[in-house]
Amino acid sequence: MKCSGVLLLFVFFILSLPAAASPVDELVVKGNTYYDEGLNDEALAVFDEALIMDPEDLEALNGKGKTLKNMGLYEEAILQYDKAIEIDPNYKKAWNNKGIALTYLERYDEAIEMFDESVRIDPKYGKAYSNLAWCLGLAGRHEEALASAENAIKFAADYARGWSNRGDALFALEQYKDALDSYETALILEPGLTDALEGKEKALAKI
């Protein structure tokens, strides 16, 4: 009985250990690091390597899509997101990032549908609300943009772009003091955020 108890404890110990990262997972981490550093060619090569190993890896497809978007290859990026959505229709990142690519293509109505689907999957997805606010603002729907930005800062209070997009909506609605407050909060969270810096200057000029 004593030996059985020791064996049982050993089994529990082994099961409690974190699973080792797969080679694909390691490549995705490496690719995302390159992406964050703006090294798009290197990131793309790594994500492609990961997808050779596993063509259905969602994070690799998403990473490749983000990188292609950074390179201005929006249609190609959308193809990657569509592959991910076909594999897992509840993969919220792909819906959100497809919306971003469509926004850059000025296909605002389609983009809004993507963001809406993303927050349907996860009603607390702050970054998707922020992107929805950005897209609605570009489409001239500023009241709706503000409502979405409020959700962005509610669910992702530390996300600078959510505050900046809130500032943009408030500025468009001629609420300049509140817009300034939002831009300043964004700059506390991310001091170099260009959109917030430009927004702050515009708001100050109006006050």
Side-chain angles (χ1 to χ4, degrees):
M1 291 295 293
K2 185 176 180 181
C3 289
S4 296
V6 171
L7 180 60
L8 189 60
L9 286 172
F10 179 73
V11 170
F12 279 133
F13 172 73
I14 293 298
L15 291 175
S16 69
L17 293 174
S22 72
V24 172
D25 291 339
E26 290 176 353
L27 285 170
V28 168
V29 170
K30 184 178 180 181
N32 281 325
T33 299
Y34 282 139
Y35 170 85
D36 290 339
E37 293 172 353
L39 301 172
N40 295 319
D41 290 337
E42 291 84 348
L44 192 60
V46 172
F47 288 127
D48 278 337
E49 185 178 350
L51 289 167
I52 289 170
M53 299 174 102
D54 183 357
E56 296 191 348
D57 187 87
L58 297 176
E59 291 296 315
L61 287 166
N62 186 59
K64 182 174 181 179
K66 290 191 305 179
T67 305
L68 289 166
K69 181 267 296 179
N70 263 12
M71 299 168 77
L73 302 172
Y74 304 120
E75 296 285 2
E76 289 88 339
I78 288 169
L79 290 176
Q80 303 307 310
Y81 302 135
D82 283 342
K83 288 178 185 177
I85 290 167
E86 184 176 354
I87 294 163
D88 182 1
N90 289 316
Y91 184 53
K92 66 182 183 182
K93 291 182 183 179
W95 290 102
N96 178 55
N97 287 328
K98 183 178 178 181
I100 293 172
L102 287 165
T103 301
Y104 279 116
L105 290 170
E106 300 183 6
R107 291 158 59 180
Y108 301 132
D109 289 344
E110 293 175 73
I112 289 165
E113 290 179 8
M114 301 302 107
F115 297 131
D116 282 344
E117 181 62 21
S118 186
V119 298
R120 185 198 65 77
I121 294 166
D122 180 359
K124 296 183 178 180
Y125 193 9
K127 289 185 178 182
Y129 282 115
S130 174
N131 290 323
L132 177 56
W134 166 57
C135 183
L136 287 165
L138 291 172
R141 295 161 60 177
H142 303 300
E143 292 282 0
E144 293 172 81
L146 179 58
S148 189
E150 295 291 359
N151 278 325
I153 65 171
K154 176 182 178 181
F155 297 120
D158 60 346
Y159 185 54
R161 291 189 181 278
W163 287 97
S164 184
N165 288 328
R166 180 176 184 265
D168 288 344
L170 288 163
F171 184 90
L173 295 168
E174 300 183 359
Q175 299 179 42
Y176 303 123
K177 178 61 172 66
D178 289 339
L180 177 61
D181 291 342
S182 281
Y183 292 132
E184 288 181 335
T185 301
L187 291 168
I188 290 170
L189 293 167
E190 188 177 331
L193 184 58
T194 302
D195 291 346
L197 287 167
E198 292 175 354
K200 180 178 178 179
E201 288 184 12
K202 290 191 301 180
L204 284 169
K206 291 288 188 178
I207 295 172

